[in-house]
Amino acid sequence: MHKKEDFREINQLSDPKEFGLKPLETLDPDEIKDFDQLLTAMSKTAFGGRNLGEALDVLEAMVTDPDCLVVATFSGAMTVAKMGKIICKMIDEGWINIVVSTGALMAHGFIESIGLKHYKYEFGRMNDTELFKCGFNRVYDTLEPEINFLHAEDVIHKVMESIKDGEVLSSESVCRKIGQYLAENIEGPGILKSAFKKDVPVYIPAFTDSELALDMATHLLRKSPEAVKNIDHTTFSFQFNPFLDLLSYTKRICAAKRIGIFTIGGGVPRNWAQQVGPFVEITSQRIKDIELPVRRFHYGLRICPEPAHWGGLSGCTYEEGISWGKFVPPEHGGKFAEVLCDATIAWPILIKGLQDRLKKKTK
């Protein structure tokens, strides 16, 4: 039995205003004229809508901070899903300064940039066994014709012909060479072309997990066919060193006053980009002749449908990353937003909102 004193008295109930509570506002479609207004209205609602609305505030703060170097990490089949031009736009506008990506995403984007197409897969009408026989590779609800890879390999072969014997490559240098070739020889937009023109480095940490790397491998085997049987005794015409990527990226991060990160998905690109904080910390601790500045991300925005409880890196929250020394805590000025949503839905809306907002502020 509860005693009478266990119940709250009416005169003990607090006024929300005294607690500084912010009232929510009903979203009125008749009052919305552009994507900035839509996202602003959503930020005053609840659930995923509020998360996306508040994400625009973080993105705007990050890309308009003159002292912030913005790292963008991309995973998932975003270029097959036709999101490539959004990446180009973010590079061209100077909203991102470094790109870290999966190899597959860049390979599919490269295919698109040389004028080749991806196609719609129709559930219930198409058979995967028959698709294989016809040379159509399925990526969920899209198709990548195998013939696209053959055309792409021809271009990569031309790029590789420009590499000098004995040259040491990294994913950054390979992407720059491809971007230069696209800029000089191919009309139309392309992620690597935009990156080359804007001097934005592109890193692919798991480079050999990509069609680009397979094309490089076949180029090597053209010159050194004996490598198939005698890999331990084969001298290749060039070498690939992934530590060049790590040190190049770290150098750029350490030179920045502030750093921010924009992430689509998760996986290797996200973790590779974020590990820079622990890397500079342990380097300074373990090597007495090297002193590097503390580096933690001041801004962060992630669009990914995976919740944290699945345990994958894609689901790791920014709050969790603070414990690793990767992010500035909110109480010390860190600004973060996490949107649990399919990027093909949230990302275009967010970018259009940013365009509308910045356009108004420059008038």
Side-chain angles (χ1 to χ4, degrees):
M1 292 287 294
H2 287 289
K3 297 179 181 179
K4 187 172 182 180
E5 57 266 25
D6 290 335
F7 293 95
R8 294 173 296 186
E9 297 291 340
I10 295 296
N11 59 9
Q12 291 178 337
L13 300 181
S14 300
D15 185 338
K17 292 181 181 179
E18 294 177 359
F19 272 69
L21 299 183
K22 296 180 180 179
L24 301 180
E25 297 181 16
T26 299
L27 194 151
D28 184 352
D30 292 331
E31 296 296 321
I32 294 170
K33 302 296 187 293
D34 60 29
F35 284 90
D36 175 26
Q37 291 181 352
L38 173 63
L39 288 166
T40 299
M42 290 168 67
S43 72
K44 299 172 184 178
T45 60
F47 312 138
R50 186 198 298 172
N51 289 339
L52 184 59
E54 292 178 345
L56 178 57
D57 296 332
V58 174
L59 181 59
E60 181 197 10
M62 181 163 57
V63 304
T64 58
D65 184 341
D67 293 327
C68 183
L69 181 82
V70 181
V71 180
T73 79
F74 302 108
S75 65
M78 291 296 102
T79 43
V80 171
K82 304 294 110 184
M83 298 290 110
K85 269 197 172 182
I86 298 182
I87 301 177
C88 291
K89 181 67 176 178
M90 296 183 77
I91 295 173
D92 294 340
E93 293 291 340
W95 296 338
I96 52 179
N97 312 111
I98 293 175
V99 171
V100 185
S101 174
T102 61
L105 191 149
M106 283 298 152
H108 294 304
F110 168 69
I111 283 172
E112 185 177 39
S113 70
I114 60 177
L116 303 175
K117 303 290 185 182
H118 299 110
Y119 297 88
K120 181 180 178 180
Y121 170 82
E122 297 182 34
F123 289 95
R125 193 177 75 82
M126 297 178 175
N127 178 277
D128 286 298
T129 302
E130 291 302 315
L131 290 175
F132 169 75
K133 292 178 181 177
C134 296
F136 298 133
N137 305 297
R138 181 158 75 94
V139 183
Y140 183 53
D141 61 354
T142 62
L143 297 173
E144 174 82 84
E146 187 68 24
I147 197 170
N148 283 359
F149 293 130
L150 298 179
H151 290 304
E153 198 269 344
D154 290 339
V155 176
I156 296 299
H157 179 64
K158 292 175 183 176
V159 173
M160 298 306 296
E161 284 294 317
S162 67
I163 294 174
K164 301 174 183 177
D165 285 348
E167 190 170 349
V168 181
L169 301 176
S170 62
S171 71
E172 178 192 8
S173 62
V174 170
C175 289
R176 187 184 306 114
K177 290 176 185 294
I178 296 173
Q180 181 176 3
Y181 180 90
L182 293 174
E184 294 173 352
N185 298 279
I186 305 294
E187 294 292 329
I191 299 170
L192 294 178
K193 178 193 283 191
S194 288
F196 172 75
K197 287 185 173 181
K198 289 292 185 178
D199 195 26
V200 170
V202 177
Y203 301 100
I204 303 176
F207 185 71
T208 53
D209 181 23
S210 71
E211 183 70 23
L212 297 177
L214 299 185
D215 291 343
M216 287 176 60
T218 56
H219 176 83
L220 279 172
L221 292 175
R222 279 194 181 100
K223 293 189 172 184
S224 307
E226 72 279 4
V228 174
K229 294 183 178 179
N230 301 300
I231 186 66
D232 292 337
H233 302 286
T234 301
T235 301
F236 292 115
S237 57
F238 66 85
Q239 298 296 315
F240 187 91
N241 188 343
F243 289 103
L244 295 176
D245 285 330
L246 176 61
L247 297 179
S248 167
Y249 175 69
T250 303
K251 180 180 178 181
R252 292 173 186 271
I253 293 294
C254 287
K257 291 183 179 180
R258 269 191 297 278
I259 53 176
I261 188 166
F262 175 87
T263 290
I264 299 295
V268 172
R270 178 177 189 257
N271 196 60
W272 189 87
Q274 291 180 182
Q275 72 178 357
V276 67
F279 176 56
V280 298
E281 181 178 5
I282 63 175
T283 299
S284 296
Q285 289 174 345
R286 299 174 186 177
I287 306 175
K288 63 180 180 180
D289 295 329
I290 296 179
E291 269 192 50
L292 298 173
V294 173
R295 279 294 172 261
R296 292 175 184 148
F297 287 99
H298 188 88
Y299 304 97
L301 195 167
R302 175 175 67 107
I303 303 175
C304 178
E306 296 182 22
H309 62 260
W310 284 356
L313 291 175
S314 296
C316 172
T317 63
Y318 289 128
E319 187 176 29
E320 182 178 326
I322 290 172
S323 74
W324 287 84
K326 297 177 180 180
F327 299 97
V328 175
E331 59 267 27
H332 295 150
K335 297 179 180 180
F336 309 106
E338 299 181 72
V339 181
L340 291 174
C341 185
D342 180 339
T344 62
I345 298 170
W347 192 9
I349 296 173
L350 189 63
I351 294 303
K352 283 304 299 180
L354 181 64
Q355 285 181 295
D356 289 343
R357 182 172 293 185
L358 295 182
K359 191 181 298 181
K360 290 183 219 172
K361 292 191 173 182
T362 55
K363 285 184 178 179

